[in-house]
Structures are given as C-alpha cells and as structure tokens.
Amino acid sequence: MDFILPPTLPDGGIPWEKVLPPLIPRLNGTYGQYKWSPKLLIPETDHVSSTEVNCDESGFVVQVDVKDFNPEDLTVKVIGDFVEVQGKHEERKKDGPGFTTRQFNRRYRIPKGVHTMALESAVSPDGILIISAPMLQSENSRILT
C-alpha cells in the first residue's frame, strides 16, 4: 500500500482522526482468520527486572531486583571496567519430569574513579541486590575535621 502525502500539510497537521479509524478493526483482533489483541504489541512489565545505577561523589551503587532468585543463585564479578551480575535458578517441575530454568546476565560499566577493590554486594530482605563501591581518594582531596 502506498501512502502519498499532499505537497503541503493542512494547518492543523495530519488529521489522525480520519486516518486511524480504518486501522482500529485490525487492532481489535478481526483481521482475516487470525485473532489477536493489542496486548500482544505491548510487552508485559511483570517479568522485567528493574535496575537503578547511581554514581556521585560518595560512590557507585547498582540496585538490581532479584526477587525470583536465591542469594546462592547469584554471581557478581568485576571484569575489566565492568561489574557483571549473573543469576541462574533451576527447579524441578512439580507436575512431571524436567526442570524450569530462569536466568539473566547484566553488565554495568564502572565509572572512572571508583575503588573497584572495595566493591561489595549484598541482597536485601526485600530481594534487591545492592552492589556498591566508594570513590577513590585523590591526592588533592583531604578530610576536613
């Protein structure tokens, strides 16, 4: 299907109220023999892990939602300028033979000036993996008392 735009657009822009109605029946699942809904176009956010990364003068902090994993299922490594987080959880199916596996891999760049040898990680009681490291003390900085 070719779309030809007029050489000049109307003053109010494209009249979307006239363009979109022919598409609406297709979006409601009535296109030929196929049935589907707009929910198929929108990814579910229930299974997306949320991550927060902060770096300021006090240090570097990464918070990763790992509620579906046990602490022993998680691995945190420093590889070059990155901190790598891996999670893998396997459990035997309750209703028959086989296993269900859930896993993820994430990499976060460590900013310059972060003391990577002091990097620590811990899982909070509410299932948030917290990775933190302080900033390196520069020769020009000093603690004021």
Side-chain angles (χ1 to χ4, degrees), residues 11-12 14 19-20 38-39 51 54-57 59 61 78 80 87 89 92 95 97 102-103 121 141:
D11 290 337
I14 297 173
V19 175
L20 291 178
K39 284 176 49 176
T51 302
N54 292 315
C55 187
D56 56 19
E57 62 276 351
V61 178
V78 175
H89 178 75
R92 184 172 291 277
D95 57 350
R102 180 181 301 129
Q103 66 183 34
S121 64
S141 67

Side-chain angles (χ1 to χ4, degrees), residues 84-101:
E84 186 173 292
V85 181
Q86 299 175 344
K88 184 173 183 180
H89 178 75
E90 283 187 348
E91 60 186 50
R92 184 172 291 277
K93 288 187 176 182
K94 297 173 186 167
D95 57 350
F99 288 91
T100 300
T101 302

